[in-house]
Each structure stands twice: as C-alpha cells, then as structure tokens.
Amino acid sequence: MPTLTEKKSARPTARAQGRPLPELIFGDLWEFDPAPETADPRLRARYDLFIGGQFVAPASGKYFDSINPANESKLAEIAWAGAADVDAAYAAAQKAYDTVWGKMPGRERAKYIYRIARLLQDRAREFAVAETMDGGKPIKESRDFDVPMAAAHFFYHAGWADKLDYVAPGRRVAPLGVVGQVIPWNFPLLMLAWKLAPALAMGNCIVIKPAETTSITALKLAEIFQDAGLPAGVVNIVTGFGDTGAAVMGHATAAKVAFTGSTEVGKIIMRSLAGTDKRMTMELGGKAANIVFDDAPIDQAVEGVVNGIFFNQGHVCCAGSRLLVHEPIAKTFLAKLKTRLRVLRIGDPLDKNTDVGAINSKEQLGTIERLVGIGIKEGAEMFQHPCKLSAKGYYFRPTIFSNVSMSHRIAREEIFGPVLSVITFRTLDEAVEKANNTAYGLSAGVWTDKGSRILKMSTELKAGVVWANTYNKFDPTSPFGGYKESGFGREGGRQGLLDYCRLV
Amino acid sequence: MSPPAHASFRRLFNEIGTVDQIGIEERVAKFTTRSIKKGSKVFGLKLAVSMVDLTTLEGKDTPGKVESLCQKALSPHDDPSIPTVAAVCVYPAMVKHARRALGEDTAVRIASVATAFPSGQAPLRTRLAEVKAAVADGADEIDMVINRGAFLSGEFQLVQDEIVAVRDACGAATLKVILEVSELETFDHIRAASFLAMRVLRPGDFIKTSTGKTTLNATLGNNQVMLEAIRDFYLDTGTPVAMKPAGGIRTAKQALQFLIAVKETLGDEWLNNTRYRFGASSLLNDLLRQLEKERTGAYQAPYYFSEAAESY
C-alpha cells in the first residue's frame, strides 16, 4: 500500500507547516454538578471495643478521634485498647474456640458466614459511605469494589466451610485455634474480609486490630456479627495504635499471626516473634512494575497504567508504581498518559464522579510530599494534574515522573500515593532485570499483543501476581501474596485457606 | 497486483496500532457510572437535542411524513429554550420535500443517505449520480456508506478512491462516511476503517458508525474506538474530523453517556453539533421528556409530546 504513505506525505503535518500544535481542550464547557452519595452511614458518636460479642469500654477509658480525611472533621471516637483489653479479647476468643466454634461442623459455620455476607450486601450503600468518609477513597470505588468484594470473600469462604475435606487432597485439616490479625488502612473492610473469612471457614477464632485511621467499618461489621448471631468471642475487634497492634501480634494465646501492612513494621513483628512457635503470614509492601511493550494496544495500556497507580489514590500495596515502557513508544505513551491524566476528577470522595479522592491521613500526605520532593531534587521530570485542591482535607495531585532511573529513590521506595515513575527499557531481558531489581515482589503487569511473551515474562518476573493486558484484578478464588520482602503466605483461593489450618 | 489482504491489514495496523476489546469495554463502563445532575443534566440534554440528526429512512416514507419530520425538527417542543435539532436525515428522493418544508433560510440542515444506502452495492457511477442529485435538490450533508467488501478483502485503495469520488461529488456539502461497524466485526477493523476514511476527508467531515439497518449499531465501545481514532488523527495532522454514532441510541441516558465519552476523550471542542451528531429519531422525544421532567419535577404523559418519526 505505498499510496497510503503517499497520502500521508501529501498532507503535511501541522508541525511541518509551522502552525500551532493541535491540542485537546478539557475545559469547563460542560462542568458536572456535584453528585454526592446521600445514603446515611449510620455512624455512632463513640465506638467501643468488640469483645466476647459485646461492645465494651476500654479498661483505660481512653478514646481517640477518627478523622474524615476529605474535610478534617471528626467522625467518631474510637476506643484505644491496652494490653488488658487485648488479654480479654484473646480470652474470649479462646473460650469461643474451645466451647463452640472449633467443634462446630463446617456446614454449620457456613450458615453464619453466608449470613454475614448477605447482611453486608443488604447494607452495602451504608457501608460504602462509611468507608469513604473514614478512609477518603472515592465512593465509586467503595461502592463498586470494596464492599461487593468484601461480601464476595465471605460468600466464597462460606462455600468452603463444609468442603474442607477436599482442600488438601489426601490429608485432613484442623483449625489452628486463635489467630491474631492486624490490617492496614488502604482497604479497611476488604482487608478485614480477606483476613476473617478464611479463618472463620477453617474454624479459627480471631482477635483483629484495624488501622487507627480506619476502624469504623470494622466496628460496623461487628454490628452485623451481632445481627447474624455469630457466637460470642468468635471475632473480637480491638482498636488502637501500634502498641495495641504489638500486643495482638505478640500475645501468647495466638497460634498464628497474620499481618498486612508496611515491610518495615512486618520486619519488626517477625523479629519480635523469632523463637516462638507461632505461624505467620505477611502481606507487605510493593513497588510493582507495569511493563508495556511496543506492540501493546496503547490506549488500553494507558488505561491500565492509570488504573494501576491512581486506583485508591495509589494506596495499594500492588499499585503499578513503576511504568517500564519500551523505548520506541515511550514518547507517544507518555503523551497519551498525560492526556488521560487530565480528565481524572480529583476531589470530594463522596461525589459519585470523583476518580481520585483524599489521601488517607495527614501523616501519609507528608510521606508522599517528602518522597515527591526527593524525586524533584534527584532530577526527575514531574507532570501533575492541573486541578485546584480543596484547602481543607488531605489531597495530592496525581503525579507522573519521567526520566527516572533505577537508582532514583522514587523508583525504589514504596510511595503509597498517586505517584508514577516512568522508566524506559530496550529489550525484554532489560525489562525483566529492571522489574526484578527491587526488594519487593508483590505484583507486575505485562502489556503486549504477543502471547508467548506474556508466558515468558510471567515465569521470569519475581512477583506473586502477574497481570497480562489488565491490572488490579481481584477475585476471592485467586491467591494473592508476595515474593521477597513483599511477604509470604497467600490470601484467597485454596492456598489462602491452607494458611489457616494444620494438616493432620 | 495488489498485496494479499492480510499484508494490507498488517501494514495498516503497524501504522495506526490495534485495539484491545476488553480494555475498551472497561474504559466505556466508567462513562456509564458518571452521575449527571441538575444544571449539568439540562445542559447535556439540550446539547444532545441540538446534535440530533432526526432521521426517517423507510420504504414507506412519503412527502407528508418528511414534512412532519421537518416541523418536529424546527420546533421539537413548545418550550422556546429547547434548540432546534441539527438536521433531518432522509432518502435522496425526499430531499426536495424536506427543502420545501424547511425553506432556504433555516438552521436545520438536510442530510441525505446517498450511495445506494444501506448496502452500497451499486455501480460507482450510479452512487455518484445519486449524490449529485441529492446535493442539487438541496442536501447540505451526504451520508455515504463505505465499500465493506473492498475493505474486508484488503483493497484499501479502492475504499479510499470511492470516498474521494463521493467527497468531490459533494461539492460544498458535508460528507459523513458510514463505516457500518457491525459488518466490520472487530474493533481493530473499526479503527483501521476510521483512519482510511479520515486520511481523505476534509476538516469538519464526519465518520459515522452505522446505517441503522443491521443488527448492531452504535455502542459506547465502537463510539470510543472511533473517538480515539479521531483524537489520534487530530493530534497527528491537525485535521479535526467529526463523529456521528447512529442507530440504537434511544434514551436520554444513553445520549448523555455518549457525550461524556466525547467530553473525556476529545474535549470541549467536540461538544457541539459541527463536531458530534446523533443519528436517531426516538431519542428526541426521550430527551424532551427528561428536559420537561427537570423543568417541572415530574414526568409528563407521552401524549404531551408530538410524535417523532420512529425509524432507528
């Protein structure tokens, strides 16, 4: 088809004619009116600890404020559990395990877990609003992802509870006893479901501590446990700060501890547990690479990269925070990425049209600002979304750093915010080398039209999950977990269940 | 000798890139979750009214039917704040009746589906004669169909030559090139056909999804593929090509979702009826129903709205 190229050259590009470069105008011709989600989150003014099936005041009588990061207003007071409260929670859990839950047939346990799932679905809108107010994530994510996915995890594991004889072929399984769990603030309800559902299905009892900035939906779920008639003490929720978490992780009663959070804290926990016979699973940080080859469908890869890093303000342990892009398409890709970035809507998380909400806490905002400052100082080129940010609340503009090299700190450290570092590569081997050149190994993405390349990459990438031509896809049936300093143990699927049982 | 079809396609895809179907569907699903309320809804609905190509394309069309369509186009509803539609779209034989009904001095344009619509299966000289006759009778816009047979067998030169011939026959009339997406089958083909057409179009000419005469017409997915093709072509050459989804858009809600796709893909400069149109007929009354609902706070009975031409 030589004529096609002739036609092209017969129509000189705007650039060659010296006209101004064509550009797209994403202005305010058709501005959307606010569309706030109005469901009542039904918050209490004060939340106590949930121990032995009851809400009880902390022994110390101390409470702390839970803040809405979107406007810095106080949402509720949350009990601060001390060592005595954690003791009480473990005692209640042990009692429930010995007298009820541990002995109950799986098919009976399943009924409770199904009930929890259904009650959560019934109150989905209320939970979505509460989750958004407490954590700052856009309502469209809590509504379409967090809450339905949390319910799906309960449903999936309820289905396993009467089929545990088949979870490890040729072997029988038995529960561990009481397990201690500490979860992070990025997906408060979903992480709770990831931790509770397999443990409950296996017949374990639980002491769990949500993150201090996002305790509310956990305590709302406790109301559902009461409504579902879950036997007292099967799940105990203790709220508080790092000291409470340390008490939960280090308690003598715990047969197993499960932690999701930063690699730094994970290491502290592992050190403190060295020499004990406790089992552990750790789901820690990540610095995932999204690798785009020159034959990938570019617009869809751009969409995937945007989804990979700006989903939940980048507060995702498997966020695709490094973009490795093939040199021949690097310029085009970056231009398209910036165009796409410009139509993201940043602002009030409760607005149904918001794509990127509020940063979870002032502290996290400080961390992001500090690392971005380092990125600028180290000479990377920064592009930010041009939006105005609200003066109240914790917000950060979606940010892309280009011209990043592997030695830059923004290419190595987990930022846990809406910040993407763009690195180029020339060959497949170089892409693998750069993707694996990190202490982490939680996830990776590959974008290419070539199936054989996907298979090769998925065996060579040292990452727990490798997504091909998509990103951030989750399912209760699919195990999730890390390599290297991203942790060990799996959550979801058969593999996740095996981390909550003994083989006998 | 022309190159084999697969080589033609391969070469074109190497130039313009391919499309991932699942990725496109995920992208457009996000448009459907946008929540358009109050003033922004009224603005969007009125914008959509102003973009409608009010269409009747039936064997049973009569001069009387076309006249009533033209009246509806000029005053869609009693409310004077509601704009006229962009155009009426009729068969070539009906153009002179439409011109008589609308008069010479009118904002409503006359579009006509020439070139042996919908199949395009007539000799080129017949198709060109049809175009010239429609323009001579007063058509401002010509909606042509591409030669899908030639496209699918990789004869891109033929496809483009025919578009050029029709373009030249149009004279000053605007050209809309119908790709007939359901017969192209894949998003890759839709992107490819969009580029083939755009490379020979004038600024302000349209590419259009479909005739409305096949099973699958405009969807958010194929609309998005074409919008992205227009965007890439514009950023590369500076030539702005306009877009017209046609067929299957029946509700105001759908129309708003298509407009959100335009806003977030091509931006403000495409949010007007010189750059974006809806080929539709029953859509108009649903837009009016929603506008009345926004104005009065309640849905009105259907008989409060004058009947539109129910075609596609």
Side-chain angles (χ1 to χ4, degrees):
Chain A
M1 303 294 300
T3 42
L4 281 181
T5 40
E6 274 169 29
K7 285 253 159 56
K8 246 187 135 182
S9 56
R11 182 191 290 285
T13 62
R15 219 156 304 172
Q17 290 181 349
R19 276 187 278 140
L21 289 180
E23 54 182 334
L24 302 170
I25 298 166
F26 296 108
D28 55 4
L29 178 64
W30 184 24
E31 209 26 271
F32 297 160
D33 280 328
E37 170 61 67
T38 49
D40 181 4
R42 291 165 71 189
L43 301 183
R44 301 182 191 186
R46 168 180 278 196
Y47 282 96
D48 285 318
L49 308 170
F50 185 70
I51 296 173
Q54 301 294 326
F55 285 99
V56 296
S60 65
K62 279 200 271 188
Y63 290 84
F64 61 94
D65 291 346
S66 189
I67 301 292
N68 181 346
N71 55 23
E72 301 175 49
S73 66
K74 176 176 155 181
L75 287 174
E77 285 182 354
I78 312 283
W80 189 341
D85 303 305
V86 173
D87 275 341
Y90 269 104
Q94 188 67 50
K95 187 172 162 223
Y97 178 74
D98 292 336
T99 57
V100 193
W101 199 250
K103 294 190 221 164
M104 191 185 283
R107 62 177 184 277
E108 294 302 316
R109 289 200 302 270
K111 291 178 188 171
Y112 291 102
I113 307 172
Y114 275 126
R115 215 176 285 160
I116 293 166
R118 283 195 298 266
L119 287 168
L120 181 58
Q121 281 185 322
D122 287 348
R123 293 168 64 178
R125 285 224 305 168
E126 171 196 335
F127 267 80
V129 172
E131 191 76 323
T132 285
M133 290 173 76
D134 200 19
K137 66 175 62 205
I139 185 73
K140 74 169 188 188
E141 288 177 12
S142 49
R143 177 194 68 199
D144 297 342
F145 180 74
D146 292 66
V147 176
M149 193 55 86
H153 270 264
F154 283 112
F155 274 118
Y156 172 74
H157 287 95
W160 265 117
D162 62 351
K163 303 171 192 72
L164 296 174
D165 288 347
Y166 307 99
V167 74
R171 305 290 296 272
R172 298 240 158 219
V173 296
L176 296 169
V178 177
V179 299
Q181 302 174 328
V182 171
I183 54 171
W185 45 259
N186 56 346
F187 294 94
L189 183 67
L190 184 60
M191 288 300 113
L192 196 76
W194 278 29
K195 290 275 183 288
L196 294 183
L200 289 174
M202 266 297 170
N204 301 287
C205 292
I206 298 144
V207 176
I208 189 164
K209 188 198 93 72
E212 62 270 19
T213 58
T214 54
S215 305
I216 288 177
T217 42
L219 295 159
K220 283 178 70 68
L221 196 67
E223 295 168 5
I224 283 185
F225 295 152
Q226 288 182 324
D227 293 346
L230 188 72
V234 172
V235 178
N236 304 277
I237 301 170
V238 288
T239 46
F241 291 82
D243 56 327
T244 315
V248 170
M249 291 282 100
H251 202 277
T253 312
K256 174 209 163 98
V257 297
F259 174 75
T260 296
S262 70
T263 294
E264 190 189 345
V265 176
K267 285 179 179 173
I268 295 170
I269 293 170
M270 283 189 273
R271 255 181 237 123
S272 73
L273 296 183
T276 70
D277 64 349
K278 287 189 201 315
R279 295 176 185 227
M280 276 185 263
T281 48
M282 297 277 155
E283 204 262 83
L284 307 173
K287 190 76 189 175
N290 231 332
I291 304 160
V292 182
F293 287 94
D294 60 356
D295 63 341
I298 293 187
D299 283 302
Q300 289 74 55
V302 165
E303 195 60 27
V305 168
V306 166
N307 181 32
I309 183 63
F310 301 123
F311 179 61
N312 198 26
Q313 296 76 249
H315 301 329
V316 186
C317 43
C318 55
S321 50
R322 289 182 299 158
L323 167 63
L324 298 185
V325 59
H326 212 166
E327 268 190 17
I329 55 161
K331 219 175 132 197
T332 315
F333 198 90
L334 195 62
K336 287 200 172 212
L337 194 59
K338 288 176 181 173
T339 303
R340 177 68 184 90
L341 189 76
R342 283 164 61 199
V343 292
L344 287 176
R345 304 175 66 87
I346 293 95
D348 179 9
L350 272 178
D351 191 304
K352 292 178 207 161
N353 291 325
T354 293
D355 296 315
V356 180
I359 301 301
N360 186 268
S361 63
K362 194 172 187 175
E363 204 184 348
Q364 184 58 25
L365 182 61
T367 306
I368 296 169
E369 283 169 345
R370 183 173 55 79
L371 281 162
V372 166
I374 290 170
I376 297 170
K377 209 175 283 172
E378 287 185 332
E381 224 170 86
M382 184 172 74
F383 174 84
Q384 284 193 317
H385 191 287
C387 63
K388 281 198 205 89
L389 299 181
S390 144
K392 269 270 183 204
Y394 316 130
Y395 292 94
F396 195 80
R397 288 188 180 85
T399 302
I400 299 172
F401 277 113
S402 50
N403 282 340
V404 177
S405 79
M406 289 302 293
S407 58
H408 282 157
R409 277 183 68 189
I410 50 170
R412 311 202 69 77
E413 286 184 33
E414 185 176 35
I415 300 174
F416 225 60
V419 183
L420 178 70
S421 301
V422 184
I423 301 159
T424 59
F425 69 89
R426 290 159 299 177
T427 63
L428 183 142
D429 289 340
E430 189 184 344
V432 171
E433 161 86 29
K434 284 182 166 169
N436 286 340
N437 181 3
T438 168
Y440 300 108
L442 196 53
S443 60
V446 181
W447 298 83
T448 171
D449 233 9
K450 219 178 179 73
S452 57
R453 195 181 278 156
I454 292 171
L455 296 176
K456 184 174 167 63
M457 294 294 285
S458 67
T459 45
E460 299 206 351
L461 290 170
K462 296 284 174 274
V465 187
V466 179
W467 284 292
N469 292 330
T470 188
Y471 206 85
N472 273 347
K473 284 282 176 296
F474 301 93
D475 193 279
T477 62
S478 171
F480 182 89
Y483 267 70
K484 299 194 284 191
E485 292 188 19
S486 288
F488 46 86
R490 292 291 179 264
E491 293 182 295
R494 203 174 61 83
Q495 293 81 355
L497 274 166
L498 290 172
D499 280 327
Y500 281 96
C501 67
R502 284 180 294 128
L503 296 178
V504 290
Chain B
M1 207 186 91
S2 60
H6 69 89
S8 306
F9 277 107
R10 180 60 53 208
R11 191 167 303 161
L12 186 53
F13 288 145
N14 281 344
E15 285 175 26
I16 63 171
T18 55
V19 182
D20 183 69
Q21 186 187 344
I22 293 168
I24 281 284
E25 279 160 7
E26 281 186 4
R27 177 73 186 102
V28 300
K30 293 181 186 170
F31 300 137
T32 66
T33 67
R34 290 280 187 234
S35 181
I36 309 300
K37 301 280 185 214
K38 300 178 202 154
S40 58
K41 184 168 184 183
V42 172
F43 181 91
L45 292 170
K46 286 187 178 170
L47 183 62
V49 169
S50 77
M51 290 171 166
V52 168
D53 278 5
L54 197 60
T55 303
T56 182
L57 295 171
E58 289 179 352
K60 61 183 180 188
D61 285 347
T62 59
K65 164 85 185 284
V66 169
E67 245 168 66
S68 104
L69 186 83
C70 291
Q71 284 312 313
K72 179 81 175 171
L74 286 169
S75 61
H77 197 54
D78 305 339
D79 185 349
S81 79
I82 292 174
T84 61
V85 302
V88 293
C89 183
V90 295
Y91 272 122
M94 293 294 145
V95 170
K96 56 177 179 289
H97 304 297
R99 180 52 72 203
R100 197 181 324 121
L102 289 171
E104 292 298 328
D105 184 26
T106 173
V108 177
R109 293 163 68 87
I110 299 174
S112 184
V113 290
T115 71
F117 180 92
S119 69
Q121 299 281 20
L124 182 62
R125 63 174 184 283
T126 316
R127 285 182 268 157
L128 292 178
E130 202 185 354
V131 171
K132 283 176 188 148
V135 173
D137 278 351
D140 304 300
E141 303 176 353
I142 295 295
D143 290 28
M144 71 167 285
V145 288
I146 63 161
N147 188 334
R148 281 89 78 192
F151 173 80
L152 291 170
S153 52
E155 295 175 54
F156 299 155
Q157 187 60 49
L158 180 58
V159 175
Q160 287 186 312
D161 285 349
E162 289 188 359
I163 296 172
V164 169
V166 175
R167 182 194 75 194
D168 293 343
C170 281
T174 301
L175 177 61
K176 306 201 192 89
V177 179
I178 303 173
L179 308 181
E180 194 64 307
V181 291
S182 70
E183 295 185 349
L184 303 185
E185 297 193 343
T186 66
F187 284 162
D188 283 341
H189 283 174
I190 295 171
R191 182 172 169 89
S194 300
F195 270 88
L196 289 181
M198 288 189 294
R199 285 173 179 177
V200 293
L201 288 182
R202 304 160 295 187
D205 282 341
F206 284 72
I207 53 175
K208 174 175 167 184
T209 56
S210 36
T211 60
K213 298 291 184 191
T214 55
T215 47
L216 185 78
N217 297 300
T219 62
L220 277 173
N222 52 44
N223 181 64
Q224 185 65 16
V225 172
M226 291 168 73
L227 292 180
E228 288 178 0
I230 290 171
R231 179 197 61 196
D232 294 347
F233 186 73
Y234 172 67
L235 291 177
D236 188 35
T237 65
T239 303
V241 173
M243 169 71 189
K244 176 177 172 184
I249 305 166
R250 294 194 174 80
T251 66
K253 190 172 184 174
Q254 280 176 293
L256 289 177
Q257 290 169 354
F258 277 75
L259 288 180
I260 292 162
V262 176
K263 174 178 161 69
E264 297 195 2
T265 308
L266 287 166
D268 291 3
E269 285 189 308
W270 266 261
L271 286 174
N272 61 66
N273 65 10
T274 64
R275 296 269 180 96
Y276 199 76
R277 297 277 181 87
F278 292 106
S281 49
S282 52
L283 169 65
L284 180 58
N285 264 358
D286 197 50
L287 291 169
L288 299 175
R289 252 191 295 277
Q290 298 297 333
L291 278 165
E292 276 298 282
K293 194 246 169 187
E294 288 302 306
R295 195 174 66 83
T296 62
Y299 282 105
Q300 308 295 308
Y303 45 74
Y304 281 106
F305 302 92
S306 60
E307 198 186 346
E310 305 294 327
S311 177
Y312 53 67

